[in-house]
Every structure is written in structure tokens, then in C-alpha cells.
Amino acid sequence: MNDMQQHVLIVGGGIVGLATAWRLSEAHPEVSITVLEKEAEVAAHQTGHNSGVIHSGIYYQPGSLRATNCREGYLALIDFCNEHGIEYDLCGKVIVATREWERPQLDKIIDHGRQNGLVGIRRISADEVREREPHVAAVDGILVPQTGIIDYAEVTRTYARLVRAKGHRLRFGFEVSGVEETKSGWVIRSAAGDEINGQVLINCAGLYSDRIATMTGQDLKGIQILPFRGEYYELRREKEYLVNNLIYPVPNPAFPFLGVHYTRMIHGGIEAGPSAVLAFAREGYDRSQVNWSELWETIRHPGFRKLASRQWKFGLNELRRSYSKRAFVTALQHLIPEVGMDDLMRGGAGVRAMACDPRGNLVDDFLILEKPGAVNVVNAPSPAATASLAIGKTIAEVAEKHLEAV
Ligand SMILES: Cc1cc2nc3c(=O)[nH]c(=O)nc-3n(C[C@H](O)[C@H](O)[C@H](O)COP(=O)(O)OP(=O)(O)OC[C@H]3O[C@@H](n4cnc5c(N)ncnc54)[C@H](O)[C@@H]3O)c2cc1C
């Protein structure tokens, strides 16, 4: 880096931070970039603990950033994988109504899908559902041919390799603990006492994005990240014949979660999940993990208290499913009645970063806030992995304005 070169600091080595670095490096070869990551590798949190599904964009509110970035990101991801030899499989998925009263919800989903520009999606009868997934109990369904599976950690490692190949840096073990605004930009300090300077700061810190945003002096208007753990079970190998590809229930429209589903994994095996239970630590992958100060921060948040008072039944139900395998299996049996307790083993978990406003609403869309010299990605929920190249491009374009201003 020479003295005149502008330096961009990206906090967070997940898929969003690295897609942003990659897009920025392509658009602005003259800029130098450093990605700061507290762990020893990329994709250590949400990106490396997700369902590995390439979402089609069928569910999202037409016109929302999630809908537009999902469609654009989907196409860019497929091109990127073809170019860089990353394995994926567009195996398609079925969304199935298992009860009569779920049918109108299917109409709504397919309508959103069409408005979002999906071609080839269609209603399928219970018989056609069974032709594709013979063990599913359905009264009606939707076929989404373009949904696929992939390993997002591998995608992120590829972004990282390309970014490095252009001469940019990734600093691992750099836990951002302080941010100071100076006349010429920012000084970022690590928990270990290291310092680094830059003109523009881009915050892609996932579960800690609200904290980093606050360090930059961004007014979050009371928004805070709430951590929701998604727990998975795995189908035993000898029962994998029960699932061919991806089987989803009709989601409850009141929540931003898709409901526990069956997912064939790109490297083999079938997962069932994820649930959506409040985690007692932002990186609480296990229900026994409690970080008291983070839990207190959650409980104190006015939005959380409002959300909890409105949705306590949902919350308790999810908590029950976390402790009781039987309750989890019962939910899965709605889709495949012959799945039994012994057919499933506990699997891994991921923690979703969900931004919640002070009125108790979970922020539905991607949320990028700005202040001079800083771009804060405060909400990047699913399908941000699918959409990474589109959202990375959007973030890089926002950052561009700040580069021009300094
Ligand atoms: C259970 C689950 C299932 C999902 N399924 C899918 C799916 O199938 N398809 C899909 O498209 N999306 C899915 N998602 C969503 C998707 O995984 C996320 O939207 C995406 O990974 C977000 O990426 P990110 O880079 O913003 O966050 P992360 O991957 O969490 O990256 C943030 C990074 O910031 C780092 N960091 C945090 N604080 C600091 C600090 N102080 N200093 C330095 N570094 C810091 C962290 O260590 C981390 O590496 C799922 C998510 C979960 C949790």
C-alpha cells in the first residue's frame, strides 16, 4: 500500500464481508482492503453453520432488498461457482401443505414467487408431491425447481483466496474492540492492543454488527441484534431413503423462519431443522452456553420484551423442542409420518443474527446504515448467503460514495 492509496477496513470474515471485499476489489483495483476477523478462519459463524440452501427468492416480499438481491445474487452465485469449480446441485424443492387450512398460504407464496420473477415454479398435486418425495404426507404442494444446495464455507474461502490474490489482506485473530474517528478516517483497535488505520470502515460483523455500528457512532434507533439458535438433527444413514431432496413445510407468516425442514446436504447426508430458539449467548451453539452479560443485554432490550410478550407461545414451543427430541420429531412427522425417534441423531446448530427494533419487530429486510466514512450492515439474515454477491455489490457501491468523499 502506498501513502496515497485509500484503505478500506472490513470488519467480519463471513460471506457478506468477503463478498463485499471481492466486489470492491473488482470495481476499485486502486483501493487497498483489509478484512479483520476475530476467528482463525473465514466463515466461522453464521456462514459456516447454515443449511447450505441456494434460495430461489420465492418467499420474500416483492420489491424488498431480500427479494431483489436474492434473484440477482442467485444468478451471480451460479456463474461464480461455474467459473471457480465450486460444487452445487440445483435439485429443486417442494413446499408442502400437510393440512387443508394451509392451502391459501401456498397461493400467497406462489404469487410472491411469480412477482419476484421466478419461472418454472408451479402448484403440484399431492400425487405429484409423492412422485418426487414418496414418504411425504401432503394435501397440496409447490415445486420450486431452481432451489439448490451448496457449501457456503467453500464459497467464502474462494472469495478470500481471490481477494488475497489481488494483494489485499485478511487479518485473523483481530477482534475489533474499539473504533476511533480521526480527521482522515478511522483507527480500529483489537482486543490484543493492535491498531490499524483506514479511510472507510465497512461493518459486516454479523452477530456483533450492532456493537461495531455503535462503536462507529451510528445511531441505531434502538435496534439490537437478537440471537436465535437453529438446531438440527441428522437422519441416520439407513433412513436417508426417506428424503430425496429438499422438503419444506408452509411457513408461519408471523415469523421470519421457514419452519423445520429436510435438507439434503451437498457433501452427503440429510439434515432436519433448523429450529428458532432464543440463544443465551450471541455465539451460543449449545443450549448450555450462557453469556450472562449478553443475555442481560437481550432481556433489557425493550424490543425483545415486547416481542416476548406477544410471541411467548412460539418462544416456549421452540424452547420445548430444544430440550425435547420428541417435540422436535413430532414437528418433522407432520411432513414424513414414518420418521421415528430412533431415526434421528442430534446434529449441529447455527445462530442467526436477527435485528429487532424497539417496538419488538424483527427487521424483515437487509438493513445497511451509513454515516460519513462508515457503512454498517446491521441486518443480513437469510438469504444473505445465497445473495452474497448481490448484497456485496450493493455494499461496495455504498462504500464507493464514502471513498469519493474522503
Ligand atoms: C441456522 C441458519 C441457517 C441458514 N440457512 C441459510 C441458507 O440455507 N441459505 C442462505 O442463503 N442463508 C442461510 N442462512 C443465513 C446466512 O447464513 C447468513 O445470512 C449469512 O451467513 C450472514 O453472513 P455474514 O457474513 O453477515 O455473517 P457471519 O457469517 O456471522 O460473519 C460475521 C463475521 O464477523 C466476525 N466478527 C464478529 N464480531 C467481530 C469483531 N468484533 N471483530 C472481528 N470480527 C468479528 C465473526 O467472527 C464472523 O466471522 C442461515 C443462517 C443460519 C444461522
Side-chain angles (χ1 to χ4, degrees):
M1 188 176 79
N2 63 48
D3 285 348
M4 299 303 289
Q5 200 171 20
Q6 286 186 306
H7 192 196
V8 175
L9 302 168
I10 300 180
V11 183
I15 200 164
V16 174
L18 281 153
T20 302
W22 167 237
R23 289 301 209 184
L24 195 61
S25 71
E26 279 197 311
H28 290 276
E30 75 287 1
V31 164
S32 124
I33 303 167
T34 303
V35 178
L36 305 169
E37 168 54 55
K38 68 183 166 67
E39 307 294 347
E41 57 184 358
V42 299
H45 290 290
Q46 296 177 89
T47 302
H49 292 88
N50 60 31
S51 301
V53 174
I54 306 176
H55 286 299
S56 63
I58 193 168
Y59 297 105
Y60 315 117
Q61 189 61 37
S64 65
L65 285 175
R66 286 214 285 175
T68 53
N69 281 278
C70 187
R71 282 308 295 148
E72 191 191 323
Y74 174 99
L75 299 171
L77 181 66
I78 302 301
D79 284 349
F80 183 86
C81 291
N82 290 338
E83 191 181 338
H84 296 284
I86 299 172
E87 190 186 358
Y88 67 92
D89 183 357
L90 299 182
C91 52
K93 81 168 177 184
V94 289
I95 304 172
V96 296
T98 55
R99 293 156 278 204
E100 287 296 330
W101 50 264
E102 289 177 332
R103 280 184 204 265
Q105 194 55 27
L106 287 183
D107 294 332
K108 222 174 184 174
I109 293 171
I110 207 156
D111 183 46
H112 275 183
R114 292 204 172 113
Q115 287 188 58
N116 290 338
L118 295 190
V119 287
I121 53 169
R122 62 185 173 86
R123 284 294 275 268
I124 52 175
S125 66
D127 284 345
E128 200 175 340
V129 171
R130 273 189 295 276
E131 270 168 37
R132 290 169 185 278
E133 297 288 352
H135 303 276
V136 167
V139 294
D140 205 346
I142 296 177
L143 174 67
V144 189
Q146 48 274 85
T147 302
I149 52 175
I150 196 167
D151 175 349
Y152 284 115
E154 190 186 345
V155 175
T156 310
R157 285 193 293 271
T158 309
Y159 295 158
R161 182 169 53 74
L162 294 171
V163 165
R164 273 183 158 150
K166 286 190 179 234
H168 304 292
R169 292 194 306 162
L170 266 74
R171 279 186 69 174
F172 291 108
F174 193 111
E175 180 173 357
V176 175
S177 62
V179 173
E180 189 188 323
E181 200 167 356
T182 64
K183 269 194 188 142
S184 57
W186 303 93
V187 179
I188 296 190
R189 295 197 176 81
S190 78
D194 293 326
E195 276 188 12
I196 187 164
N197 301 300
Q199 281 72 52
V200 173
L201 185 163
I202 307 178
N203 160 20
C204 302
L207 285 151
Y208 290 99
S209 57
D210 54 347
R211 289 226 188 136
I212 304 291
T214 303
M215 288 181 201
T216 67
Q218 181 80 56
D219 178 8
L220 288 177
K221 300 193 166 46
I223 286 176
Q224 186 176 306
I225 294 291
L226 301 181
F228 283 93
R229 188 172 53 250
E231 296 168 347
Y232 295 90
Y233 278 82
E234 279 171 34
L235 259 188
R236 286 192 192 284
R237 193 154 283 267
E238 54 286 11
K239 291 290 176 166
E240 283 179 6
Y241 69 88
L242 290 174
V243 176
N244 286 330
N245 289 302
L246 308 180
I247 307 167
Y248 280 63
V250 173
N252 181 338
F255 303 103
F257 309 112
L258 299 180
V260 289
H261 47 265
Y262 294 93
T263 310
R264 178 161 72 76
M265 307 302 287
I266 192 75
H267 300 307
I270 310 278
E271 274 188 351
S275 54
V277 62
L278 183 77
F280 296 157
R282 292 200 182 202
E283 292 171 354
Y285 293 96
D286 194 279
R287 54 175 191 244
S288 63
Q289 249 172 295
V290 183
N291 178 320
W292 292 105
S293 77
E294 290 182 355
L295 179 58
W296 177 234
E297 203 183 1
T298 296
I299 293 169
R300 244 182 16 197
H301 183 243
F304 170 72
R305 291 212 297 267
K306 285 178 190 138
L307 180 70
S309 70
R310 282 202 304 268
Q311 305 294 359
W312 61 272
K313 260 191 191 159
F314 173 87
L316 281 184
N317 201 27
E318 289 296 308
L319 201 61
R320 192 168 62 92
R321 282 214 294 227
S322 176
Y323 283 89
S324 155
K325 181 176 178 183
R326 184 164 295 285
F328 205 106
V329 174
T330 303
L332 290 169
Q333 283 171 335
H334 281 300
L335 292 171
I336 301 184
E338 47 189 297
V339 159
M341 287 284 281
D342 296 337
D343 302 338
L344 292 155
M345 309 166 289
R346 260 197 189 274
V351 185
R352 305 173 186 84
M354 310 288 297
C356 182
D357 74 19
R359 292 175 301 284
N361 303 309
L362 292 174
V363 178
D364 191 49
D365 212 352
F366 297 150
L367 181 63
I368 303 170
L369 300 177
E370 300 169 62
K371 57 166 291 190
V375 183
N376 286 297
V377 181
V378 179
N379 201 39
S382 185
T386 307
S388 60
L389 285 168
I391 184 170
K393 189 166 162 230
T394 306
I395 298 164
E397 283 165 4
V398 175
E400 224 166 69
K401 288 189 302 181
H402 295 271
L403 278 168
E404 281 160 12
V406 282

